[in-house]
Structures are given as C-alpha cells and as structure tokens.
Amino acid sequence: DAGITQSPRHKVTETGTPVTLRCHQTENHRYMYWYRQDPGHGLRLIHYSYGVKDTDKGEVSDGYSVSRSKTEDFLLTLESATSSQTSVYFCAISESLSDYTFGSGTRLTVV
Amino acid sequence: QKEVEQNSGPLSVPEGAIASLNCTYSDRVSQSFFWYRQYSGKSPELIMSIYSNGDKEDGRFTAQLNKASQYVSLLIRDSQPSDSATYLCAVTTGSGGSYIPTFGRGTSLIVHP
C-alpha cells in the first residue's frame, strides 16, 4: 500500500489490557492519521499528527493516545481496551490533498 | 459539526449501465472533494478528486460538483461487476492546514451481470 504498513493485521485482546497498534511509512509524508471504521459509522478520525511529536485529537479520541517520535512511525495506544473499541483501525498518510493513502488496516477484537 | 451524507444503499445496477452515486455536505466553505472506493475487507483507495464546479472525467468515472447546492456526485459509465464496492465521499475544508477530510458513511454499489 504505497509505502505504508500497519501491524499487527489482526489482534484479539482481553478487556482491560493495553494495546498498541503501529503504523510505519516509507514515504516521508508529514501527516499521519488514525481512523476507526465501524458499520453504520463510516470512517472516524481518532488522532492525527502533523509532524514529529506534534499530534492532535480527532472526533473519537477518548480512550486512545498516540505518539510520533519519528517521521515514519505513528503509534496508537488503547490504554485499557474495552469491547466498544472492537473495530477495524486504519492508518493514513498524506503530504497534500491529493495523496491521502490508507494502510491495509488492523482488525482488533476486544473480548 | 461538519456532515457528509450518503445514501447507504445498496445501489444495484446491471452490467453496462451508468451508476450514479450522490453525496451532500453541510459546510459551505468546503473546497476539496474526493471519492474513495473500498472493496470488502480492504482499505479505501482514492479514485477521483474535484475542486471546482462542474464535471471532471477520468476514464469511466465522472465526478460532478455543485457548490451552490452543496452536492457532489460520481458517475460510473459502463459499470462492471468489478466496480461492486462501497464508495466513500470525503470533503475537506480549506486548502492548507492538516488536510483532514470528513468522510461519509459510504454507498454500497452492486453491479450484477
């Protein structure tokens, strides 16, 4: 997917455990984003980053934190996973309006 | 709250027909408009972008924008079964900043042979 990799691809975790999802890019794009996609809700922005150590909240940021210590890596952490955080998580990167590219997604199940 | 509305469908069309997908948006200052295609179990991929009123054609795809009516559409000519997917409309406000689009919930398109 155009130099963007998400890991893991699938994860099952227990309620209350911390979980970290990783997004890695080789495009040197400035902007990186984390979305979740749920039936009936479409894509919703969790957090985004506009540079190293520069991040901001999206519309559904409660229960999630992010970090970006290098241009190429953007981490999403669920501090204490809940069943409502069962979802498909997509990372995206962009440098301009026309090159918004998504990763392959991580399917997270919280049991 | 910026809103982007799409009919969830499914929209079912026969092979070879024109599929018309519609999207309305609430923010009058929106400037950039995108259509993404998402196959089941896959990630969204950008197929069209449009920035000014009128039509923009790319192969079998035509994007249409009417800012006065706050309406953007995607036409797919000569629809093929391989076009069966969910189509997401996305709208961005402003030409600078963080380039964050607001996505609609998507319209499911089924092209039957």
Side-chain angles (χ1 to χ4, degrees), chain B residues 10-15 79-81 83-85 87 108-112:
Chain B
L11 173 66
S12 182
V13 301
E15 183 175 358
S79 295
Q80 302 297 309
D83 294 324
S84 298
Y87 290 80
S108 175
L109 173 66
I110 299 172
V111 181
H112 53 86

Side-chain angles (χ1 to χ4, degrees), chain B residues 77-110:
Chain B
R77 291 182 300 280
D78 189 24
S79 295
Q80 302 297 309
S82 59
D83 294 324
S84 298
T86 296
Y87 290 80
L88 306 175
C89 174
V91 175
T92 302
T93 300
S95 59
S98 55
Y99 307 107
I100 301 178
T102 299
F103 286 85
R105 297 179 182 182
T107 297
S108 175
L109 173 66
I110 299 172

Side-chain angles (χ1 to χ4, degrees), chain A residues 22-105:
Chain A
R22 181 182 184 235
C23 179
H24 178 78
Q25 61 147 330
T26 58
E27 304 295 320
N28 202 35
H29 283 346
R30 177 181 177 189
Y31 301 101
M32 299 185 75
Y33 314 82
W34 277 107
Y35 286 87
R36 61 179 290 175
Q37 188 173 39
D38 305 286
H41 291 280
L43 279 164
R44 294 181 291 175
L45 181 68
I46 305 171
H47 282 279
Y48 66 97
S49 169
Y50 44 95
V52 174
K53 298 186 179 179
D54 291 324
T55 64
D56 207 346
K57 296 178 180 179
E59 62 176 300
V60 291
S61 60
D62 287 348
Y64 302 94
S65 62
V66 291
S67 65
R68 191 170 179 197
S69 58
K70 299 184 291 184
T71 298
E72 57 267 35
D73 289 325
F74 193 32
L75 304 180
L76 176 71
T77 297
L78 289 65
E79 301 293 344
S80 178
T82 68
S83 58
S84 65
Q85 294 177 310
T86 292
S87 186
V88 179
Y89 291 85
F90 286 104
C91 176
I93 61 175
S94 75
E95 191 65 37
S96 69
L97 289 170
S98 61
D99 69 352
Y100 210 84
T101 304
F102 286 87
S104 299

